Amino acid sequence: MNLQVVDLAVARGGVAVLAAVNFRLDAGRALILRGPNGLGKTTLLRTVAGLQPPLAGEVRVPEDQMAYAAHADGLKSTLTVAENLGFWASVFGTGSAEAALAAMNLTGLRDRRAADLSAGQKRRLGLARLLVTGRRFWCLDEPTVSLDTASVALFAGVLRAHLAEGGAALIATHIDLGLPEAALLDLTPFRAPLSGPAGAFDEAFS
């Protein structure tokens, strides 16, 4: 089982930002995307995750095996921590959320409303959703934003466990997650030539 990106071109705001991107991500592996701010890392991740169409090329990934985590935590503020994870576990049909609560050190916060969490706690809850999706491929856009050092280490352990169980991760991050076996892909060489609008689609996220 693998993810393949073939001659992919992507656009932001109707303008091409990356072109001719090729890579393959196998089960059990992580690929870290690097490049300056504004290059198009988020746009690439959104395209790979199926949230926007590519300008050219294709993404080959097994059906219903992709989970995406971006800057927004995607929480329902009036629900408790346990209710939020329980909701997503029911959506994905993966059963109990107890393991996800424990993995991201949220058990003691299970009855607290999401609206009452700190930024770091909300981030941990948002990342815990990955564990109830049952998806093998994770697309992660700066997953450690708002996390303290201990929480970064906690998530890195969750990520290593996911890889050890045959999962895979495509990650845009400038933080060292302690994954010495992870491959690095600098997207700078894939910067698209300056051009006019690339079509009618207007992608609202940078």
Side-chain angles (χ1 to χ4, degrees), residues 73-75 77 106 109 113-128 146-147:
D73 295 315
L75 306 178
S77 61
L106 293 165
L109 299 170
R113 291 192 319 152
D116 299 326
L117 299 176
S118 70
Q121 290 167 342
K122 288 178 181 177
R123 191 60 171 172
R124 280 192 279 133
L125 178 54
L127 292 172
S146 300
L147 295 184

Side-chain angles (χ1 to χ4, degrees), residues 23-63:
F23 62 82
R24 170 174 162 165
L25 180 60
D26 292 321
R29 305 291 295 177
L31 178 62
I32 297 176
L33 304 177
R34 291 287 168 82
N37 291 338
L39 181 65
K41 298 185 296 295
T42 292
T43 304
L44 178 65
L45 286 172
R46 286 177 52 81
T47 304
V48 170
L51 300 178
Q52 70 171 72
L55 289 179
E58 60 180 319
V59 177
R60 301 170 184 167
V61 63
E63 186 175 3

Side-chain angles (χ1 to χ4, degrees), residues 163-175:
L163 300 178
E165 293 168 0
L170 180 63
I171 315 167
T173 182
H174 297 287
I175 301 297

Side-chain angles (χ1 to χ4, degrees), residues 23-205:
F23 62 82
R24 170 174 162 165
L25 180 60
D26 292 321
R29 305 291 295 177
L31 178 62
I32 297 176
L33 304 177
R34 291 287 168 82
N37 291 338
L39 181 65
K41 298 185 296 295
T42 292
T43 304
L44 178 65
L45 286 172
R46 286 177 52 81
T47 304
V48 170
L51 300 178
Q52 70 171 72
L55 289 179
E58 60 180 319
V59 177
R60 301 170 184 167
V61 63
E63 186 175 3
D64 293 331
Q65 287 298 320
M66 180 67 72
Y68 177 67
H71 300 150
D73 295 315
L75 306 178
K76 295 184 178 297
S77 61
T78 59
L79 298 184
T80 67
V81 167
E83 288 169 343
N84 266 282
L85 281 184
F87 169 78
W88 287 108
S90 66
V91 167
F92 289 100
T94 55
S96 174
E98 293 303 316
L101 286 167
M104 291 305 297
N105 195 24
L106 293 165
T107 303
L109 299 170
R110 59 177 301 119
D111 296 323
R112 186 174 299 183
R113 291 192 319 152
D116 299 326
L117 299 176
S118 70
Q121 290 167 342
K122 288 178 181 177
R123 191 60 171 172
R124 280 192 279 133
L125 178 54
L127 292 172
R129 289 192 306 153
L130 292 166
L131 295 168
V132 301
T133 65
R135 303 293 173 90
R136 303 291 293 277
F137 293 92
W138 291 357
C139 267
L140 308 176
D141 191 4
E142 299 293 349
T144 59
V145 170
S146 300
L147 295 184
D148 59 21
T149 301
S151 296
V152 170
L154 183 69
F155 177 67
V158 167
L159 186 53
R160 285 193 294 271
H162 176 66
L163 300 178
E165 293 168 0
L170 180 63
I171 315 167
T173 182
H174 297 287
I175 301 297
D176 182 3
L177 292 173
L179 302 172
E181 71 282 6
L184 299 178
L185 178 62
D186 183 359
L187 293 175
T188 305
F190 303 102
R191 192 192 303 267
L194 293 176
S195 63
F201 180 78
D202 184 13
E203 199 264 292
F205 295 84

